[in-house]
Amino acid sequence: MDNRELWTALGMDLEKHDEFLAPIPSILKNLFWDRPNRPKAMGYFDAVVGDVHGIRVHELYAMKEAGAKVFSTFCVYVPEEIVVATGSASIGLCAGAQFTVSSGEKVLPRNLCPLIKSTMGFKLDRVCPYFQVSDWVIGETTCDGKKKAWEILNEHIPTYVMELPQKKEAKDARLWDEEVREFASFIERETKVNLTKENLTQGIQTINSKRQALQRLANLRQHSPAPIHGLDVLLINQLSFFDDPVRLAAQVNALCDELDVRVKEGIGVAPVDAPRILVTGTPQPLPAWKLHALIEQAGAVVVGEETCTGERYFKDVTEPADNVSDMLTNIAKRPLKVNCACFTPNTGRMEDITLMAKHLNADAVIDFSLQFCQPYGVESYFVAKEMEKRKIPFLQLESDFSEEDQGQLLTRIEALIEMIRA
Amino acid sequence: MKQAGLDLGSVNTKLVVLENGDRIYSQVIPSRFDSVKAGINLLETYAGKYGEKPEKLVVTGYGRVNFPEGRVITEITCQGRGCHDYFPDYAYILDLGGQDSKVIKKSAEGKIVKFIMNDKCAAGTGRFLDVILKGLELTSEELNLAAQAKPMPINSMCTVFAESEVITMLAKGIPKPEVVAGLFKSTAKRLANFIEAVGHPECLIFTGGGAHYNILVSFLERELKGKVVIPPEPELTAALGAALLA
């Protein structure tokens, strides 16, 4: 089956999909392929993103033919381990394209986070094969916009919602533990595979290995000169949500081996004095590359992301246990260490940003918020306060997935760089 | 040695040339949607008069990235440098330009320590005032009357909505000066909030074309409960800063 046959089989709108994919090759060429001095091991990731609606979709389709299910997620809190343990697939969906935002606005208010509108548009337009190949969407209650949008999405694809607590007290941890157990039963029912000590151990190990590989990559970015561009790491972080976890971990480790050599030999992708930027805030889902591209175009290098398409996704691993119930307990514990702005209070995030800035030798922090994201938008106040207290130069930016504000964003980023260099 | 600063703005393009630190030339022309062309014209006019181009050139402003020559520095750094030349003791700058507005905080040495710029839309920019005032077809007498008038509250800060609010008021027979006073008061209030997101200046430096509205300055002083100072040619400070950095 070639790509077009596959897309037809998945009930996609081929005409619209062609229109959506048309500009992608030139974007990839400009932002990635033509950039000098990239690590050779990026070849794998270039191939995956170069055929982003092909290779992996064929695999998922084949998995389904063999009886497995595909569960789609939008959040780092959803426990992938459980899905992977049953032999089914857990994939994170694309949600960062301007192309689908206007379709999302057919059913959603305009003054809503572009990530939610983009997601909805992908389904309504039938231009995302991952959406089409999915049996279920696993939603969560990280913000009001998503929470209510799931109800609409459920009219188009079965949507299961996990209730994430809003505080981190003992009773909240109990609620989340219960949610994870209910989710485990739901996955067992849907996949007709029971969780056992063996398969869940395997599931935890697979996902932990992926997180550890991504941690290893993140740690390599503390070196100066930076051995890899932030844009390349962002791409890997984005792909890590839906690529095969075992293969991705192996490829990330291979890249890290190459970067180890670069670090040893003092080879970098930017001059030693290039300003080092830590990005914090809302996620940059595929294909939202604008922010990183502009920062690096301005002569700085992004050395870390305190975001869901970065550190929050992989910073903690699930502790092992020797029976299914304890494993589920540990699976539930891990995400509650993640400091998302959906929690109140969320002082842990301020510590995370400060520690990352220190560890990565960041010269400045860019606090990025997607337009209309209430939790991160409001929390920017505390980020600013913390950065001032720590005397870390910082810049607050708000944007969406559109292209037209690149000039304005670049001016602000360049001014920040001039500030650091003055 | 001659140093030039060229500020390629969205509405106007400005050139300042210094010789041994003293200003020998300055000129402002409309950008007419092509600030690069306007900048080239300015430099040519200057060269025609002085026989040669300035030895050093810094370009700044909206059109800077597309300009064929000169070192590129953002308008934030240039504005800070230009204002520091006039007012070394004051830390806060409000720049109300055609397409954007910004608040800059500088250190005692003139370095930028913090800045914010308005978001995407035209609210709180010079454009907002221009669009609405143009629609009102004010005489200078009416503008003077507005300084004493009781301001009508205007709530909308979206250019489109504010315009329709203004039209509704005029249709109700509310005198033009009161509406205009309201417009400036609400703009001043918005700008004051914008400034206070950065800090609380006792004395504010006000630059950009917007600083020419005396009525806006007095409302701003009331909102901030502080003093507002304006450089002699407030639309030229970024170009001056660029020349000083050249």
Side-chain angles (χ1 to χ4, degrees), chain B residues 1-5 16-25 46 50 52 54-56 240 243-244:
Chain B
M1 193 193 50
K2 294 189 181 86
Q3 304 163 253
V16 169
V17 184
L18 307 174
E19 184 171 21
N20 304 323
D22 294 324
R23 188 194 299 190
I24 57 163
Y25 185 82
Y46 168 85
Y50 285 81
E52 56 177 5
E55 286 118 301
K56 289 192 162 180
L240 170 67
L244 288 166

Side-chain angles (χ1 to χ4, degrees), chain B residues 49-72:
Chain B
K49 200 174 165 191
Y50 285 81
E52 56 177 5
K53 279 189 176 178
E55 286 118 301
K56 289 192 162 180
L57 173 67
V58 162
V59 291
T60 189
Y62 166 75
R64 69 188 185 286
V65 279
N66 298 319
F67 203 73
E69 55 183 313
R71 192 157 65 94
V72 174

Side-chain angles (χ1 to χ4, degrees), chain A residues 65-227:
Chain A
E65 297 275 280
K69 297 260 164 119
V70 177
F71 298 88
S72 289
T73 68
F74 286 96
C75 179
V76 304
Y77 287 101
V78 175
E80 293 169 74
E81 297 93 331
I82 294 171
V83 177
V84 171
T86 63
S88 278
S90 167
I91 56 169
L93 288 190
C94 304
Q98 181 65 20
F99 185 85
T100 57
V101 164
S102 63
S103 292
E105 287 173 353
K106 285 181 203 164
V107 295
L108 293 167
R110 287 196 65 227
N111 292 357
L112 188 73
C113 152
L115 190 153
I116 302 173
K117 290 189 287 192
S118 174
T119 301
M120 188 67 78
F122 268 118
K123 184 63 204 169
L124 296 182
D125 281 352
R126 293 178 287 116
V127 291
C128 175
Y130 294 97
F131 238 137
Q132 297 305 109
V133 82
S134 295
D135 296 285
W136 281 89
V137 163
I138 310 301
E140 65 336 289
T141 56
T142 40
C143 70
D144 289 349
K146 272 183 169 183
K147 186 170 80 183
K148 299 307 290 180
W150 303 136
E151 295 172 25
I152 302 175
L153 194 62
N154 190 46
E155 292 187 345
H156 304 276
I157 179 169
T159 303
Y160 179 98
V161 180
M162 296 186 77
E163 185 181 352
L164 191 71
Q166 308 205 341
K167 293 174 80 175
K168 288 182 178 174
E169 308 290 331
K171 65 178 187 308
D172 302 300
R174 284 198 294 278
L175 165 74
W176 182 243
D177 186 83
E178 220 171 284
E179 281 294 306
V180 167
R181 282 169 203 280
E182 251 180 59
F183 178 70
S185 316
F186 159 74
I187 294 293
E188 285 182 319
R189 266 197 322 275
E190 279 304 310
T191 60
K192 301 191 173 62
V193 175
N194 284 328
L195 291 171
T196 64
K197 186 185 158 188
E198 289 70 31
N199 65 20
L200 195 51
T201 301
Q202 189 58 48
I204 291 174
Q205 208 170 35
T206 300
I207 300 304
N208 277 353
S209 301
K210 171 166 80 166
R211 291 190 187 118
Q212 281 157 343
L214 294 167
Q215 285 171 12
R216 186 181 163 202
L217 177 59
N219 282 329
L220 278 161
R221 299 166 81 188
Q222 65 178 281
H223 293 285
S224 179

Side-chain angles (χ1 to χ4, degrees), chain A residues 295-364:
Chain A
I295 294 171
E296 299 194 329
Q297 183 193 323
V301 58
V302 180
V303 292
E305 296 83 20
E306 192 281 316
T307 67
C308 297
T309 42
E311 202 77 2
R312 279 181 226 135
Y313 181 47
F314 52 74
K315 76 179 180 78
D316 304 297
V317 293
T318 300
E319 294 298 320
D322 52 20
N323 62 72
V324 169
S325 177
D326 288 353
M327 283 185 229
L328 291 176
T329 305
N330 290 348
I331 286 171
K333 274 182 185 164
R334 183 202 61 90
L336 290 186
K337 293 181 203 148
V338 175
N339 296 310
C340 170
C342 66
F343 287 97
T344 182
N346 192 33
T347 45
R349 182 169 162 234
M350 303 309 132
E351 289 162 30
D352 290 348
I353 300 169
T354 309
L355 274 175
M356 278 185 77
K358 203 174 153 191
H359 174 67
L360 296 165
N361 281 313
D363 295 303

